[in-house]
């Protein structure tokens, strides 16, 4: 489940994005995935790339409660990888675990 809470109409209001579900580990943190329906998934690169296209940057708060959620820290970078440099958009996140570990309760 992905929930986006947008305080529409409030200038400068933050965007809150909540990922609750199942995550899988990739070869690197940027390759980790958040599982979606129909055997599809979102990666930190997908999320960062989407946020990079926002015309009027605003503060983004991510809450990711999946296994391997720490990989989504890569969203703090342009293009979802450290090579892109830190995004000029104000982004922060709360992750249930590191990129290489399962979340508590999944073992």
């Amino acid at each position: 489940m992905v929930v986006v809470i947008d305080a529409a109409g409030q200038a400068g209001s933050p965007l809150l994005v909540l990922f609750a579900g199942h995550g899988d580990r990739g070869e690197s943190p940027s390759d980790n995935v958040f599982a979606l329906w129909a055997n599809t998934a979102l990666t930190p690169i997908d999320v960062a790339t989407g946020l990079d296209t926002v015309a009027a940057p605003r503060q983004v708060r991510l809450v990711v409660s999946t296994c391997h959620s720490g990989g989504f820290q890569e969203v703090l970078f342009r293009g979802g990888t450290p090579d892109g440099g830190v995004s000029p958009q104000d982004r922060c996140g709360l992750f249930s675990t590191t990129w290489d570990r399962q979340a508590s309760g999944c073992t």
Side-chain angles (χ1 to χ4, degrees):
M1 167 177 61
V2 177
V3 177
V4 178
I5 300 172
D6 183 7
Q10 296 182 17
S13 63
L15 178 67
L16 174 62
V17 183
L18 168 66
F19 291 84
H22 180 70
D24 284 315
R25 181 179 173 179
E27 291 293 317
S28 72
S30 295
D31 297 322
N32 282 10
V33 298
F34 174 73
L36 300 171
W37 290 101
N39 240 5
T40 59
L42 280 175
T43 67
I45 293 172
D46 297 329
V47 176
T49 301
L51 291 173
D52 290 343
T53 64
V54 174
R58 60 195 279 195
Q59 184 183 65
V60 177
R61 299 173 182 169
L62 297 171
V63 177
V64 188
S65 67
T66 67
C67 289
H68 311 288
S69 60
F72 280 83
Q73 72 185 354
E74 303 298 289
V75 170
L76 304 178
F77 301 108
R78 276 182 261 183
T81 66
D83 294 339
V86 175
S87 170
Q89 188 180 42
D90 189 9
R91 302 176 187 172
C92 67
L94 176 64
F95 312 102
S96 61
T97 188
T98 60
W99 78 276
D100 57 345
R101 298 195 66 183
Q102 290 182 329
S104 178
C106 287
T107 56

